[in-house]
Amino acid sequence: MKKIYIICSLIVAVGITAGISFFIIRDHMATIPENTTLVTMNGETYDFAQSEKKLKLVEFMYTHCPDICPTTTQKMNLLKSDLQKEGVFGENVQFLTITIDPYRDTPEIMKNYMNTFEIEDDGNWIMLTGDQDGMKQDQQEILDLANTFKFQYRDPGDGFFVHSTFVYLLDENNRYIKKFPMGEEFSKEEVYNKIMNEI
């Protein structure tokens, strides 16, 4: 009986380890599809395949979000200041903020969102949305992009999205490095240390 118990325990342990390993490997294999193009807050095309070879901190959000999204953006802004002091923001690191609500979040709305947080438009923090003339395709591209990193979202019908709560650090080739909590759980010290270790 004891031997059966030990064998069962080992089988369970191996199963759990395999499951955890699967998710770790899956996350670390995540890479932005090269054919993904969106529109910046200035109405310009942003082609991920042609993006700069820098670390990227990627935030998925929407401007009508009442709490977690603006809180995350504000904390990222504080992080940006710390990275600027070290001379690495823009040189080695850039931020990408991608709306999950491109229909409402036009380039103009994204620009206003940027101005609300007094984020300088210097090409180092890029706000991304969909092309209003090709919205169906770009909505799908944003969904595919979010799904790459297992960022889930949906509109329950009231315009207030239910969504995952992570931001993602990517390497120079747009590959996943690590994810961090959004909102009040976002630790700029933790993200700062990880970025500096990767540079």
Side-chain angles (χ1 to χ4, degrees):
M1 181 66 86
K2 187 175 180 181
K3 193 177 288 186
I4 293 174
Y5 175 77
I6 292 172
I7 292 171
C8 289
S9 297
L10 286 173
I11 291 171
V12 170
V14 169
I16 291 172
T17 301
I20 292 171
S21 298
F22 168 78
F23 287 110
I24 290 173
I25 292 170
R26 180 201 65 187
D27 285 347
H28 285 279
M29 301 263 313
T31 305
I32 292 178
E34 288 194 358
N35 60 348
T36 304
T37 59
L38 294 173
V39 175
T40 72
M41 65 284 184
N42 296 316
E44 300 166 342
T45 299
Y46 183 88
D47 185 345
F48 281 90
Q50 302 298 320
S51 63
E52 296 181 82
K53 296 290 185 179
K54 299 176 182 180
L55 296 179
K56 298 175 183 71
L57 188 65
V58 179
E59 169 195 29
F60 292 98
M61 49 66 75
Y62 69 110
T63 63
H64 287 79
C65 180
D67 42 40
I68 196 167
C69 298
T71 299
T72 304
T73 302
Q74 182 58 41
K75 291 193 170 209
M76 286 175 61
N77 209 7
L78 296 172
L79 171 63
K80 182 193 79 166
S81 296
D82 291 346
L83 295 171
Q84 283 176 320
K85 289 174 186 173
E86 292 296 326
V88 298
F89 187 77
E91 184 68 27
N92 307 96
V93 187
Q94 66 178 194
F95 291 175
L96 300 179
T97 292
I98 305 170
T99 182
I100 56 176
D101 186 13
Y103 182 77
R104 290 188 294 178
D105 290 339
T106 63
E108 182 181 7
I109 295 296
M110 295 296 281
K111 183 76 169 181
N112 290 340
Y113 184 82
M114 191 175 195
N115 292 336
T116 297
F117 290 93
E118 299 181 343
I119 298 169
E120 186 178 357
D121 185 3
D122 59 4
N124 297 319
W125 191 334
I126 303 169
M127 305 273 162
L128 294 172
T129 185
D131 182 351
Q132 296 298 305
D133 294 327
M135 185 51 64
K136 186 173 182 180
Q137 177 181 340
D138 279 7
Q139 280 180 317
Q140 186 60 52
E141 287 207 26
I142 291 171
L143 179 60
D144 291 344
L145 182 56
N147 284 339
T148 297
F149 303 103
K150 308 309 174 191
F151 186 94
Q152 304 295 312
Y153 64 90
R154 65 181 178 84
D155 181 357
D158 58 4
F160 292 102
F161 284 68
V162 177
H163 60 82
S164 299
T165 54
F166 292 102
V167 297
Y168 303 87
L169 182 62
L170 311 182
D171 70 11
E172 303 85 3
N173 297 308
N174 296 326
R175 288 192 301 251
Y176 172 96
I177 296 176
K178 187 174 174 62
K179 63 184 177 183
F180 304 93
M182 292 177 71
E184 293 296 337
E185 300 301 315
F186 182 94
S187 169
K188 74 181 182 74
E189 292 78 15
E190 180 186 1
V191 183
Y192 172 87
N193 289 333
K194 183 61 178 175
I195 287 173
M196 296 306 292
N197 286 338
E198 292 291 330
I199 293 174

